[in-house]
């Protein structure tokens, strides 16, 4: 597949995911026994929905020699347009790994959003910029001289959920989940069926059908199969 066809395919997948919500996609993942929901990471700028391939960043604790200053990482120059940055700073709440400067650069590069397993800062600025940020914590203390980049585009494990570069990240006001790239299309199809099933159930009960009857008739137990 050439680059143009690949970009067209990725755009189609992104649009289909953005038409769904994370609850339906989570049900799609559940149907093939994949746990994709990442606990402990919350939206910090409300009202955003994101979907895109993961660009992963691993931090490690660092204490330099006294009077030595270590600048922040500049990995963002490597992040492609449309990607979701996933930063694993070991869930630390004592120092940040994202702020207004990185946000400004991310907006310039049309990055889809950022997920921080750890803390971010400059939250007022980030909210004014209306950038999709998901983080475990907000704290003002800099990560400079406290944490450094260990690796980029590496495998991560955040609260029991594995994330490989190129896996898809989806986020909304419910939180963040991970879709393994090898299961991406199957999960999208199943999630679309989940939403269709639930819309049918809602339509039926709004017309007076008993909830139990609507659920039984339309396959609520296995909504990804789109019965009825």
């Amino acid at each position: 597949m050439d680059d143009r066809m690949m970009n067209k395919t990725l755009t189609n997948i992104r649009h289909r995911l953005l038409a769904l919500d994370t609850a339906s996609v989570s049900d799609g993942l559940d149907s093939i026994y994949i746990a994709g929901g990442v606990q402990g990471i919350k939206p910090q700028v409300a009202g955003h929905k994101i979907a895109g391939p993961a660009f992963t960043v691993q931090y490690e604790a660092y204490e330099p020699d006294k009077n030595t200053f270590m600048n922040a990482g500049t990995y963002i120059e490597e992040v492609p347009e449309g990607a979701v940055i996933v930063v694993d700073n070991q869930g630390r709440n004592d120092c940040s790994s994202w702020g207004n400067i990185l946000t400004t650069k991310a907006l310039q590069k049309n990055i889809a959003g950022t997920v921080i397993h750890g803390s971010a800062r400059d939250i007022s600025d980030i909210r004014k910029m209306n950038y999709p940020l998901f983080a475990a914590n907000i704290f003002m203390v800099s990560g400079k001289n406290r944490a450094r980049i260990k690796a980029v585009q590496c495998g991560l494990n955040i609260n029991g959920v594995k994330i490989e570069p190129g896996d898809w990240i989806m986020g909304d006001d419910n939180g963040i989940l991970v879709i393994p790239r090898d299961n991406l299309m199957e999960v999208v199809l199943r999630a679309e069926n989940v939403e269709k099933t639930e819309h049918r159930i809602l339509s039926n009960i709004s017309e007076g059908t008993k909830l139990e009857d609507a659920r039984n008739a339309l396959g609520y137990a296995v909504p990804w199969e789109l019965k009825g």
Side-chain angles (χ1 to χ4, degrees), residues 23-95:
S24 298
V25 176
S26 177
D27 287 353
L29 287 163
D30 278 348
S31 74
I32 53 175
Y33 306 101
I34 294 174
V38 182
Q39 297 181 37
I41 297 179
K42 303 174 183 178
Q44 303 297 335
V45 183
H48 280 288
K49 188 181 291 186
I50 63 169
F55 183 98
T56 62
V57 182
Q58 178 73 68
Y59 273 80
E60 63 181 357
Y62 179 66
E63 292 185 24
D65 295 334
K66 197 170 184 179
N67 300 321
T68 298
F69 179 79
M70 184 188 67
N71 208 344
T74 56
Y75 63 85
I76 197 165
E77 301 293 354
E78 304 173 37
V79 183
E81 179 177 345
V84 176
I85 298 171
V86 182
V87 175
D88 182 7
N89 194 19
Q90 304 173 340
R92 291 179 64 174
N93 58 18
D94 64 326
C95 68

Side-chain angles (χ1 to χ4, degrees), residues 7 10-11 13-15 17-18 49-55 76 78-86 105-114 131-132 166-170:
N7 290 338
L10 293 178
T11 298
I13 292 169
R14 191 189 313 275
H15 286 165
L17 280 171
L18 292 176
K49 188 181 291 186
I50 63 169
F55 183 98
I76 197 165
E78 304 173 37
V79 183
E81 179 177 345
V84 176
I85 298 171
V86 182
K105 192 65 180 180
L107 286 167
Q108 289 175 356
K109 291 176 62 67
N110 292 319
I111 291 166
T114 298
Y131 179 75
D167 287 347
W168 274 61
I169 307 297
M170 184 178 179

Side-chain angles (χ1 to χ4, degrees), residues 195-212:
E195 289 217 346
K196 290 174 185 175
T197 298
E198 294 195 349
H199 288 159
R200 290 178 181 180
I201 291 170
L202 288 168
S203 177
N204 274 243
I205 64 175
S206 68
E207 293 172 359
T209 303
K210 290 182 179 179
L211 177 57
E212 182 178 5

Side-chain angles (χ1 to χ4, degrees), residues 128-149:
K128 287 175 184 175
M129 288 187 273
N130 201 31
Y131 179 75
L133 173 67
F134 298 77
N137 190 48
I138 300 297
F139 196 54
M140 82 296 295
V141 173
S142 173
K144 301 179 188 75
N145 289 351
R146 296 179 177 89
R148 67 179 178 183
I149 293 174

Side-chain angles (χ1 to χ4, degrees), residues 112-127:
T114 298
V115 176
I116 305 291
H117 182 220
S119 301
R121 68 177 188 172
D122 302 323
I123 190 63
S124 295
D125 289 345
I126 294 169
R127 287 173 178 161

